[in-house]
């Protein structure tokens, strides 16, 4: 969220390949936790911008550290080559899943390249 500070829920949803209601629900929880505030857009009052609070801005570092620790633990028994292969395969899966979100795949079409 920190790299999307000031975005609308729709902009965040597009960037993350999720639905706008998912972003709104998450924003509700983050607002309740004091991590996010909503502000009307200065130029277009119909739009709402999501902005992190100081507490919200402080959160990415510990979250990223914990994510890295979990990744290291779950891949501890893999060799470096296996880990690289896994990351490449997961990246392909992510691209294919993202492609599915951008439109239906017809019979015979493939989202994986």
């Amino acid at each position: 969220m920190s790299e999307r500070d000031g975005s609308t829920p729709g902009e965040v949803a597009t960037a993350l390949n999720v639905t706008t209601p998912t972003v709104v629900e998450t924003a509700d929880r983050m607002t309740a936790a004091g991590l996010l505030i909503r502000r009307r857009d200065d130029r277009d009052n119909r739009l709402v911008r999501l902005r992190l609070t100081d507490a919200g801005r402080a959160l990415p570092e510990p979250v990223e550290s914990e994510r890295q620790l979990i990744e290291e633990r779950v891949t501890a028994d893999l060799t470096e080559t296996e880990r690289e292969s896994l990351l490449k395969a997961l990246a392909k899966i992510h691209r294919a899943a993202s492609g599915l979100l951008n439109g239906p795949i017809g019979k015979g079409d493939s989202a994986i390249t």
Side-chain angles (χ1 to χ4, degrees):
M1 184 67 202
S2 59
E3 62 272 359
R4 291 175 182 73
D5 199 29
S7 297
T8 67
E11 291 166 345
V12 173
T14 298
L16 298 178
N17 289 320
V18 298
T19 64
T20 300
T22 297
V23 172
V24 170
E25 289 169 16
T26 302
D28 288 343
R29 289 192 301 274
M30 290 178 72
T31 300
L35 302 173
L36 186 78
I37 57 172
R38 290 179 165 102
R39 295 269 191 244
R40 289 279 172 197
D41 185 87
D42 293 337
R43 293 184 198 128
D44 187 344
N45 198 38
R46 296 171 297 174
L47 297 177
V48 173
R49 300 273 173 195
L50 305 176
R51 301 212 182 270
L52 291 172
T53 62
D54 289 340
R57 276 194 249 356
L59 200 56
E61 187 175 312
V63 169
E64 178 58 21
S65 295
E66 186 65 20
R67 187 204 61 75
Q68 286 178 338
L69 182 62
I70 291 168
E71 181 181 320
E72 289 169 9
R73 286 181 180 167
V74 299
T75 61
D77 290 336
L78 300 178
T79 66
E80 188 59 34
T81 301
E82 290 170 330
R83 185 181 288 193
E84 288 174 10
S85 295
L86 174 62
L87 292 175
K88 286 179 184 177
L90 290 172
K92 279 186 172 184
I93 291 168
H94 181 263
R95 284 193 304 273
S98 295
L100 290 174
L101 292 174
N102 292 328
I105 295 176
K107 191 172 184 170
D109 292 344
S110 176
I112 302 174
T113 56

